[in-house]
């Protein structure tokens, strides 16, 4: 339902904020349980700390990522959706309105030469996490150099 980490000019560290999904015939999130950081943060210590969560009843279904020519992740914007409607197979994706979606604040920086990639999990799945990797060079600290979304 959210993201946390560190960001400045780039995404330096990234982790996830999760809640349990409802089970059985109901769809959505189990809001009776407190939100927990259950996806550990990975990578460096640069930048400023951030923590952003989707509005109540919403969860992450995707993100927009700006990738630098150096393969570093420059910016990340989370894409939230009404979890109950997105997970319900009886609700068509086309029937969702702008009130059923929200964006998290942009974290990191952007430059004109960034490659912009937006991804969205298939209807019925939410963003479960990211596979991340990083590298360190003499001229930089650890930062996120790659993200692969995991939808479930």
């Amino acid at each position: 339902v959210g993201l946390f980490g560190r960001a400045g000019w780039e995404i330096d560290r990234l982790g996830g904020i999760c809640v349990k999904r409802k089970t059985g015939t109901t769809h959505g999130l189990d809001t009776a349980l407190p939100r927990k950081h259950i996806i550990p943060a990975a990578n460096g210590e640069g930048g400023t700390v951030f923590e952003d969560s989707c509005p109540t009843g919403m969860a992450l279904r995707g993100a927009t990522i700006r990738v630098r020519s150096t393969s570093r992740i420059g910016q990340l914007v989370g894409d939230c959706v009404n979890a109950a409607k997105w997970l319900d197979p009886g609700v068509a994706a086309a029937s969702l309105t702008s009130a059923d979606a929200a964006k998290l604040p942009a974290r990191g920086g952007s430059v004109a030469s960034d490659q912009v990639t937006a991804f969205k999990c298939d209807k019925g799945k939410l963003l479960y996490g990211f596979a991340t990797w990083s590298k360190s060079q003499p001229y930089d600290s650890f930062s996120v150099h790659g993200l692969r979304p995991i939808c479930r």
Side-chain angles (χ1 to χ4, degrees):
V1 296
L3 300 169
F4 72 100
R6 300 180 70 90
W9 182 240
E10 299 170 336
I11 302 297
D12 295 293
R13 187 171 187 79
L14 185 62
I17 303 168
C18 301
V19 295
K20 196 171 185 177
R21 286 166 63 164
K22 288 183 178 178
T23 58
T25 58
T26 59
H27 302 283
L29 306 174
D30 188 346
T31 56
L33 297 174
R35 292 181 178 191
K36 295 184 178 180
H37 293 213
I38 63 169
I39 300 175
N43 301 354
E45 294 297 326
T48 303
V49 172
F50 70 88
E51 181 176 321
D52 303 314
S53 293
C54 294
T56 301
M58 292 190 174
L60 287 167
R61 69 169 167 188
T64 300
I65 302 168
R66 297 182 72 96
V67 181
R68 299 277 150 76
S69 60
T70 56
S71 300
R72 295 184 187 113
I73 304 302
Q75 188 179 78
L76 180 67
V77 178
D79 178 16
C80 305
V81 67
N82 179 309
K85 291 181 180 180
W86 190 252
L87 295 171
D88 188 340
V91 176
S95 71
L96 276 76
T97 67
S98 59
D100 294 316
K103 299 281 187 195
L104 295 181
R107 296 301 180 178
S110 66
V111 295
S113 60
D114 286 349
Q115 177 185 346
V116 179
T117 302
F119 70 87
K120 183 167 45 176
C121 297
D122 293 335
K123 174 87 169 62
K125 295 183 178 185
L126 295 172
L127 183 61
Y128 180 77
F130 290 103
T132 68
W133 59 96
S134 64
K135 64 181 181 178
S136 181
Q137 301 289 339
Y139 56 84
D140 70 3
S141 62
F142 278 103
S143 60
V144 179
H145 280 253
L147 288 176
R148 183 177 52 82
I150 302 169
C151 298
R152 289 191 185 163

